[in-house]
């Protein structure tokens, strides 16, 4: 990818921000469960999760299809390139920018600071990929996590809405765990091994490796929270991770 791609790529990222802004406005018109309507922070979080769900479905299936359609990309993680992958990175960059702005402008930074850290890491890494055209396949592998996020977001929506259907939550709980292993832990583990073994630790390689290791720590932390919440509730800690209304965000 040459420098001529940079201006169109910036326009694509900006267009993606606008698309997710439109989705957020559309979410305002959707009906909300009574448990959500009763508290302002829940109403905002509900809309935020609906937009996140839309991104997970689109980006997750996009990444999965792109890698399935062009498996040869996996043989060149550093320099492999596809237009579909490039567009996907621009699309997801726009989502992360939009979500960061949504958190900040709605005064949710304190309760959602971990999301902001994650988004800052993702945006900076993706911008470097867009500019250089390198490690695009690594980004596509990382975005497989959005397949897992589909079920994680459904889990959070079910808990927030107090849906009187334990069977639905239980079924999603186990599917979510399996998807977490397949689409989050497995790609992340492979990429960490690959970067530590094959990528030169200087320049962009050093920057992306550092981001990847920080993301490893965050993913393991989230996984331990998920296990405590859904499978070992007796091990959950008091009020860590709550927002000002007592609603949990990352430990939902």
């Amino acid at each position: 990818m040459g420098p001529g791609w940079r201006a169109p790529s910036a326009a694509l990222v900006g267009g993606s921000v606008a698309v997710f802004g439109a989705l957020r406005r559309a979410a305002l018109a959707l009906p909300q469960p009574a448990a959500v309507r009763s508290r302002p922070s829940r109403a905002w979080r509900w809309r935020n999760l609906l937009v996140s769900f839309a991104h997970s479905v689109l980006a997750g299936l996009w990444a999965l299809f792109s890698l399935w359609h062009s498996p040869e990309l996996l043989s060149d993680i550093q320099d492999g390139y596809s237009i579909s992958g490039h567009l996907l990175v621009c699309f997801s960059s726009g989502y992360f920018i939009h979500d960061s702005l949504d958190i900040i402008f709605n005064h949710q930074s304190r309760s959602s600071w971990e999301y902001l850290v994650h988004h800052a890491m993702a945006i900076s890494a993706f911008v470097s990929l867009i500019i250089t055209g390198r490690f695009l396949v690594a980004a596509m592998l990382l975005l497989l996590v959005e397949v897992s996020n589909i079920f994680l977001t459904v889990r959070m929506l079910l808990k927030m809405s107090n849906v009187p259907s334990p069977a639905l939550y239980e079924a999603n709980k186990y599917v979510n765990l399996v998807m977490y292993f397949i689409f989050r832990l497995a790609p992340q583990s492979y990429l960490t091994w690959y970067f530590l073994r094959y990528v030169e630790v200087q320049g962009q390689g050093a920057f992306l490796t550092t981001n990847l290791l920080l993301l490893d720590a965050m993913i393991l932390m989230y996984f331990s929270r998920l296990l405590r919440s859904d499978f070992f509730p007796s091990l959950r800690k008091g009020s860590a991770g709550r927002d000002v209304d007592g609603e949990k965000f990352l430990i939902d």
Side-chain angles (χ1 to χ4, degrees):
M1 182 190 68
W5 257 103
R6 294 176 187 172
S9 296
L12 288 168
V13 173
S16 176
V17 174
V19 166
F20 285 106
L23 286 174
R24 179 181 57 81
R25 287 189 292 274
L28 291 171
L30 296 176
Q32 297 175 345
V36 172
R37 292 195 305 270
S38 62
R39 300 170 77 169
S41 67
R42 283 192 179 190
W44 170 81
R45 183 62 175 150
W46 179 265
R47 294 191 299 270
N48 182 269
L49 284 172
L50 289 177
V51 176
S52 175
F53 179 76
H55 171 256
S56 294
V57 171
L58 294 170
L61 296 181
W62 190 342
L64 194 60
F65 175 78
S66 294
L67 291 170
W68 173 80
H69 186 262
S70 304
E72 67 278 3
L73 291 171
L74 296 173
S75 64
D76 192 0
I77 288 179
Q78 294 193 49
D79 297 307
Y81 179 81
S82 77
I83 293 177
S84 177
H86 182 89
L87 294 175
L88 172 60
V89 171
C90 292
F91 176 75
S92 287
S93 297
Y95 166 72
F96 291 128
I97 291 171
H98 169 270
D99 198 52
S100 299
L101 295 174
D102 190 31
I103 290 170
I104 293 168
F105 290 157
N106 284 281
H107 311 291
Q108 300 292 332
S109 299
R110 191 176 76 171
S111 58
S112 303
W113 66 269
E114 289 174 77
Y115 285 105
L116 291 176
V117 171
H118 171 272
H119 291 357
M121 291 165 55
I123 293 166
S124 59
F126 283 2
V127 167
S128 79
L129 306 183
I130 291 169
I131 291 173
T132 65
R134 301 186 70 229
F135 297 104
L136 187 70
V137 181
M140 295 167 71
L141 282 169
L142 283 176
L143 284 169
L144 288 175
V145 71
E146 296 301 335
V147 178
S148 169
N149 280 346
I150 293 171
F151 301 92
L152 184 62
T153 306
V154 168
R155 170 187 176 274
M156 296 164 75
L157 290 169
L158 288 173
K159 293 200 76 168
M160 284 186 65
S161 59
N162 294 330
V163 174
S165 177
L168 179 59
Y169 184 87
E170 285 293 308
N172 185 76
K173 179 174 78 173
Y174 289 103
V175 173
N176 181 41
L177 184 64
V178 171
M179 294 298 175
Y180 204 101
F181 273 103
I182 296 174
F183 291 106
R184 188 182 298 258
L185 294 179
Q188 187 76 21
S189 299
Y190 174 72
L191 278 175
T192 300
W193 169 82
Y194 180 90
F195 268 72
L196 292 177
R197 180 162 185 176
Y198 295 111
V199 176
E200 210 171 311
V201 187
Q202 63 178 22
Q204 186 186 21
F207 171 69
L208 293 177
T209 300
T210 301
N211 262 13
L212 196 60
L213 293 175
L214 290 173
L215 190 57
D216 286 345
M218 294 182 78
I219 284 177
L220 292 175
M221 178 179 65
Y222 298 162
F223 186 52
S224 69
R225 292 177 177 181
L226 177 67
L227 291 177
R228 287 201 306 269
S229 179
D230 275 0
F231 297 95
F232 305 102
S234 61
L235 300 179
R236 293 176 69 178
K237 297 180 181 179
S239 60
R242 296 180 184 270
D243 68 7
V244 292
D245 283 329
E247 283 300 313
K248 291 187 176 181
F249 278 63
L250 286 172
I251 316 176
D252 287 275

